[in-house]
């Protein structure tokens, strides 16, 4: 004998209240009916890849996406710098790609591929043509990898290798991270460790004494706003490039300080 559900057993008014509450709970993770297709694709595209050798630990700190120390941020050496044709002025920061070596049986390691997160920018060199040394000049699609990643798909002597790439969903451990920086009424938030599409296109912030406030992209995945949000818990609403929106309430407690990192919910991967 099956028991009736709560909404079946409840009077009409209670059923309406329960339906409203359920709708509120599930609305934290939503997407628009006009959502673009997910970033993961079975199509492979041609590109080229080179590597750099991290001879100094400081080589893994910084980058045009603003993630800082890549090891502490959880990215490790599974990262990549992108040429101008792929970087999109930093909007692509946080996206994930799968790369494989092709067309060179001497140097490719057969049957291998790597998954990397976009964390940096390979600047063009207009002193050379795109065909004659300006490897990151438009319209070239070029990936610059740590040697640790490059050697998983090719022998290091290969140098500038033909590769194929495709955009895939990111898989991350833990929740989305919000690193709060700034001073006074200037609030800057670095958003990292994003699963799913990986790259964020819009951010809103909310204090306990404010409504939802739209943040602007400062650079990479650093977002900013001029508003006094001190001494109040902070909530965040982030939208990824595939149109999904994730809301994390009261991520930072009332006594948060600049320089601290807090963890919210996570996108599906």
């Amino acid at each position: 004998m099956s028991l009736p559900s709560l909404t079946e057993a409840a009077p009409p008014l209670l059923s309406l209240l329960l339906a409203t509450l359920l709708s509120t709970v599930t609305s934290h993770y939503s997407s628009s009916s006009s959502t673009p297709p997910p970033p993961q694709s079975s199509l492979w595209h041609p590109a080229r890849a080179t590597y750099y050798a991290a001879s100094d630990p400081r080589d893994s700190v910084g980058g045009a996406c603003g993630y800082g120390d890549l090891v502490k941020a959880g990215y490790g050496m599974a990262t990549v710098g992108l040429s101008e044709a792929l970087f999109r002025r930093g909007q692509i920061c946080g996206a994930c790609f799968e790369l494989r070596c092709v067309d060179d049986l001497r140097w490719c390691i057969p049957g291998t591929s790597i998954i990397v997160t976009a964390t940096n920018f390979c600047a063009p060199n207009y002193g050379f043509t795109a065909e004659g040394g300006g490897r990151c000049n438009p319209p070239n699609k070029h990936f610059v990898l740590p040697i640790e990643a490059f050697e998983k798909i090719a022998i290091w002597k290969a140098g500038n290798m033909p590769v194929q790439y495709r955009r895939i969903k990111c898989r991350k451990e833990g929740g989305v991270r919000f690193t709060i920086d700034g001073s006074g009424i200037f609030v800057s938030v670095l958003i990292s460790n994003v699963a799913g599409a990986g790259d964020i296109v819009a951010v809103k912030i909310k204090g306990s004494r404010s409504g939802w406030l739209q943040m602007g992209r400062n650079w990479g995945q650093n977002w900013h706003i001029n508003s006094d949000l001190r001494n109040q818990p902070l909530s965040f609403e982030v939208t990824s490039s595939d149109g999904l929106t994730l809301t994390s309430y009261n991520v930072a407690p009332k006594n948060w300080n600049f320089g601290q990192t807090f963890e919210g919910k996570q996108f599906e991967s």
Side-chain angles (χ1 to χ4, degrees):
M1 175 180 176
S2 60
L3 295 175
S5 67
L6 286 175
T7 52
E8 290 174 343
L13 180 57
L14 181 56
S15 297
L16 179 60
L17 290 172
L18 285 170
T20 302
L21 287 171
L22 289 172
S23 174
T24 302
V25 169
T26 56
S27 67
H28 298 345
Y29 189 91
S30 62
S31 63
S32 167
S33 59
S34 59
T35 296
Q40 187 163 359
S41 171
S42 60
L43 297 177
W44 291 89
H45 305 280
R48 298 191 76 85
T50 49
Y51 66 84
Y52 68 91
S55 58
D56 188 312
R58 290 173 295 183
D59 291 341
S60 62
V61 177
C65 292
Y67 294 125
D69 188 318
L70 296 176
V71 175
K72 288 183 178 179
Y75 296 106
M77 292 291 102
T79 60
V80 68
L82 303 177
S83 63
E84 190 170 283
L86 294 166
F87 192 63
R88 302 180 194 169
R89 297 184 178 181
Q91 294 182 25
I92 199 69
C93 289
C96 295
F97 296 87
E98 184 177 9
L99 274 69
R100 65 186 184 187
C101 184
V102 294
D103 298 336
D104 197 327
L105 298 179
R106 294 176 303 164
W107 307 118
C108 291
I109 300 175
T112 60
S113 68
I114 54 172
I115 295 174
V116 290
T117 302
T119 61
N120 211 341
F121 174 52
C122 179
N125 185 345
Y126 294 114
F128 298 92
T129 65
E131 298 79 21
R135 63 192 184 193
C136 289
N137 293 2
N140 292 351
K141 293 182 177 179
H142 196 94
F143 295 81
V144 182
L145 299 160
I147 191 170
E148 293 88 345
F150 186 90
E151 288 189 314
K152 293 182 184 299
I153 58 172
I155 307 301
W156 67 270
K157 291 182 180 180
N160 190 352
M161 282 293 298
V163 296
Q164 290 180 338
Y165 75 94
R166 63 181 177 180
R167 179 84 178 269
I168 66 169
K169 282 190 173 183
C170 299
R171 298 182 183 277
K172 304 296 181 184
E173 295 292 330
V176 175
R177 295 180 190 140
F178 303 90
T179 301
I180 305 173
D181 212 333
S183 177
I185 65 169
F186 177 77
V187 179
S188 175
V189 180
L190 168 64
I191 300 176
S192 60
N193 199 56
V194 181
D199 51 338
I200 298 301
V201 298
V203 179
K204 291 181 180 179
I205 189 171
K206 180 184 182 300
S208 59
R209 300 193 299 271
S210 76
W212 285 105
L213 306 172
Q214 189 75 49
M215 302 190 78
R217 188 191 298 274
N218 195 316
W219 60 286
Q221 288 299 352
N222 287 275
W223 299 77
H224 71 278
I225 191 170
N226 287 314
S227 183
D228 190 357
L229 297 171
R230 291 169 293 184
N231 301 313
Q232 49 188 311
L234 301 180
S235 303
F236 294 93
E237 180 184 281
V238 293
T239 301
S240 55
S241 63
D242 57 0
L244 294 178
T245 295
L246 183 71
T247 304
S248 296
Y249 290 103
N250 301 322
V251 170
K254 180 179 179 180
N255 60 343
W256 64 267
N257 288 307
F258 292 114
Q260 290 183 307
T261 298
F262 302 95
E263 191 171 295
K265 295 181 180 179
Q266 184 59 277
F267 286 96
E268 295 177 358
S269 59

